Amino acid sequence: MMFFNKNVILATLYLNGCWMDNPSMNKGSSTVVIGIILSLVLGLLIGVVSSPFFVKPATVTEKITFVSTSHVTRLTTQTHTETVTVTKNIPEIKYANLFDISFYKGCKIVKDALNRTFILVPKNEQSQCDIEGIVIRVPIERVVLMSATQVALLERLKELRPNILDTVVGIMWGRQYDWYFEDIKDALLSGRIKDVGGPEAPNYEEILMLNPDIVFIYAFPGMEAMSKFDELGIKYAVINEYLENDPLGRFEWIKFIATFYDLDTEAIKIFNKAEQTINSIAIKVADNKPPSIAWFSVYKGIVYAAGGESYVAKALRQLNAEYIFSNVKETSSFVTTIEELLGHANEIEIIIYPGIASSVSDILLEASGLSETSAVKLGRVYAYTPMIYQLGFYDIEGWYQDLASILHPEDFPDHQLKYFIRLS
Amino acid sequence: MLNTSHLGVGYRNRIVINDACLEVKPGELVGVVGPNASGKSTLLKTLAKLLKPLSGTVYIDGKSLAELSARDVAKKIGIVLTERVQSGLLTSFEIVAMGRYQYTDMLARLTPHDRQVIMDALRSTGASSLAERRFSELSDGEKQRIMIARALAQEPSILILDEPTTHLDAKGRIEIMMLLRKLSRMKKIAIIASTHDVELAIRLCDKLVVCSSGKIKVYDVPEQLVEEGGVEELYGFNNGLSFCKDTLAAEPVINDDEDFRIFVIAGGGSGVIIYRLLNRLGYAFTTGVLHEGDIDFIVAKSIGGRVISERPFKEISDDSYTEALRELQKSDLLIYASPPIAKINQRNFELLTAAKELGLPIIQYIRESNIGNYAMGIHFVDSISLLANMLVEYCKGLSKDKDKDILVAKTE
Amino acid sequence: MSRIVFRQSKFFWIGALLLLIPLIILMSITIGSVDIPPEKAISKLVNLGEPDTTSIIINSIRLPRVIAALAGGAALGISGAILQVFFRNPIADPYVIGVSSGSALFIALAIFMGTSLGIGNPFSPYTLYIAGFIGALLVSIFMIFASGIVRSITTLLIIGIAISYLASAITSILQVISDIERLHVFIFWIMGSFSGVKWLFVNFLLISIIIGIVSSMFLAKPLNAFMLSENYAQSMGINIRIIKIGAIALTSFLTSIVTVVAGPVGFIGLVSPHISRHISDTSDNRFILPTSAIVGAIITASADLAARTLLMPRDLPITAITALFGAPLVIALLLRGGGS
């Protein structure tokens, strides 16, 4: 299982519950202290061993403490920005916790998932900014992406900026996926978009040759690539949407990507529309009797279930369902036993298996005790369809719609499932 | 040179040999003998400083071994062990060159003098021609020579060898022991070698150290051990095994078939081969009349035959003759070994005649050297293998007949 | 005399192998997903002309990588040679002393338990290097300590293997209780690769290797004596304890550094000594240690070149390549040589 399609693995990072705790943001101080101690020790080591060779990394990680109450406008009007009152769209960050966009002295100040500071300066203009950070000239024109989720967000932006995908010059693992986005598929086949290796060992020289304005990456613990990018002077921004514990929080990262293209307004439009659609779905099912649902995969007797504070649990709560593990304080998926799962056997009305399965018996093979649940008896067992990994995030409203129709079929009598499949 | 005072050797808290006092002088070859697990190796390893003594002290040239540095010890003592050597692709020369360890620099580069010493060592063990051969491709005997040469290359004044003759064939064993003897004389070094081969040690060593039951006993004259009957005691010889002092040979005694008796008339060395044949086939035998000191007498005794004897150089007396005749009457078969007949053993011929008259089956064995010395009217063979076959066939029949007799007796 | 010719042939081989190194460096800096002709590569290497993307590719990507592979391979080759003689075991390799397992254990701890224990920033690229280094260091210290008190070298070998099992046991427990995503990260880490190696580590590696090779020459002479046996070595006046500690300290030091930089790179330490014994036709460690270092360097650098070019743009785990090409080679050598 651990060696299955990279596509699936990568996608599970954002759909199968969050990866892991979010230490740098939530656990704040203790992590910072330990981080400082470790970097001191490392610095000492480096200094002693090879001071003459040491290249100082370009990254700046310290916290900048200015408070910005002003709001970013479209940068085309930014000549006045400092004094002029904000008149237009407010890219307020409503759900996401891991990034921030603010405005300061004619530049956009962006914080990525690792709290690194970017100063987005419009092309052909001098930066007035006195903040330390990575300067990016916007709008960006050459981009390397690391994950299918980033592709999905750009595909959404395509609604309002049709040629946006022309900026994509490279995708990690690009040719490893089965793409559901035809334009990406074609561009990879024709070689216009380069496959630049796997996330654990990117093809650095190819990336260098592509000369991207920025590389969008996601970070995972133990990732080496960032330090090598630092050494090579390749600029990168970390999009850890998979760590957000709200589905809309994940989707909100569209604002992060969009701001590098100066497409803030467009992103806000897209986001608000999606939010409204989802809210209306939620309202529609709000008065139903909440069904009880189990959301887990099982492999070799080990149950991997979505945590009670994960984005899945959040979506289920929104859609008026009882998640059996809602009291497990875990923001990512967690490991539990089949016995624990069977403890809830008489409640489970619906089972969603976050993975590819061909029949109910596949699941019963691993956990036969589930055969007595009403979910199995009434045939309310669902699994993923392969397209969920790419399109499920792109089409977040569709994902909600599917989920709502699974939970409350009486309200959506004619709905055809796209991202889930009912198992027999 | 090397001496010990009240030395106790062993491992951890298990004492193997206690209170050992020993002195070895330059030019001496000292054999260390004793049964398995009697502590020979432990003693030698302690002398070579591979083990710490549990008590007492080893002195080299008056200095305590414990006080000498490892480097000095390496220049004083060379060792040859029984351990398997993993030589890989090393040549014999390279192995011997390792003996120069303490004399060479960090990269073990050899000076012309070192090469000289190495070649000398090889020459003195008769292994010069093996120098460029791979050590792993040599025979056991050749390997042993190289290992001795390696120890000699350390230019030691004491050479300690643990079982240098195991794994070797009879010739190799003798050659290695002879080599050690020669080296001790030629290089004026003290050589201490343990061995299982007591017979050889008695023959070649200047001194014997006998390890047994936690003690050592030093024999300045190895023959002393033989005369005292020490060898039998040492190995706990009992039925089934005997040690012949005269031939210095350990003899297996089998004669387990007491159903019938074979009488052998022999003398003057004519019987030795027949005794050994009978013993190997497991047949008990009586032989006579032999003169004491005759080789037939010595061998027959040592392998447990019943011997009717006469004092040396005396004519066979009536007593002996009568005894022989009595035995003959009880026998089932006579083998006549065609001994040289002279006046003093004339009556052996009479025994043969008596046997004919008794109707005893008789086989005469004639060695080529004894041709012409045969008695008329007797079935004779002239090859030992033929004799062996006949014996086996005949004795088979004999036991069957006996069984029949018993059956008859019972039915009656 | 035949002896002199014989010796010269050994030096000839060392020389010939050394000449291969510049060749492999040249190949490594010219071959890749971006084509750089050799003459351009060399001129960029010596900093002729304007610095551009090509010179960054050569100087910051390909050069550190090939140098790391050469240095790492040399370290493994020399460690393997030392340990095979030391343990009197032709299948010993640098990983029998448990260093990589210790390293893997601490990396696993950092990945699987790190956030729950609040150790470090899991996203820092250095966290796992530090964890790996601590793990390797702890095992090394334990092994050095054990080598000081254990009498028999075989016992030491068994202790090393036992530690490997112990560390692997804890690692596998951690793997079972972890989720699939973190397992995936862990597997990336322990597969072993020189991808993305940074100059910082390369310099560290290079300095260590030079120290290692120089100090290993102090071991060549006593190791030769060790080939006979421990007792013989002792009888030649060698301080067994110091050599034991020295051999274990040196090999665990070298192996730790390579493991931290590139993960466990299998097979190099096993085959390099065998190959060098074959080509130099001797077991004399004064030749085998340097030759094994050179052979290890060449094989590792070639394997790394293959690892990053065979399935471009994928980077393959280097152990896969070393075993894929090294195993048949060593089997052929041993069969032809009748097994030495």
Side-chain angles (χ1 to χ4, degrees), chain A residues 53 195 205 222 224 228 231, chain C residues 60 62 129 189 197 199 314:
Chain A
F53 308 99
D195 178 342
E205 33 190 273
E224 288 177 89
K228 188 69 188 179
E231 194 188 77
Chain C
S60 298
R62 293 186 183 171
Y129 287 115
W189 251 88
V197 67
W199 270 117
R314 304 279 166 276

Side-chain angles (χ1 to χ4, degrees), chain A residues 5 7-8 11-12 14-15 178 180 295 352-358 381-393 395 398-399 402-403 406 415-423:
Chain A
N5 192 344
N7 197 349
V8 177
T12 46
Y14 76 94
L15 281 170
D178 290 327
Y180 287 86
W295 184 295
I352 292 184
Y353 185 87
I356 310 296
S358 55
V381 181
Y382 299 84
Y384 283 178
T385 58
M387 70 170 78
I388 195 174
Y389 296 114
Q390 281 168 38
L391 301 184
F393 190 56
D395 177 19
W399 183 78
D402 267 14
L403 207 52
I406 289 170
H415 183 74
Q416 291 288 314
L417 290 178
K418 258 176 100 181
Y419 306 116
F420 297 89
I421 183 168
R422 186 169 183 163
L423 297 178

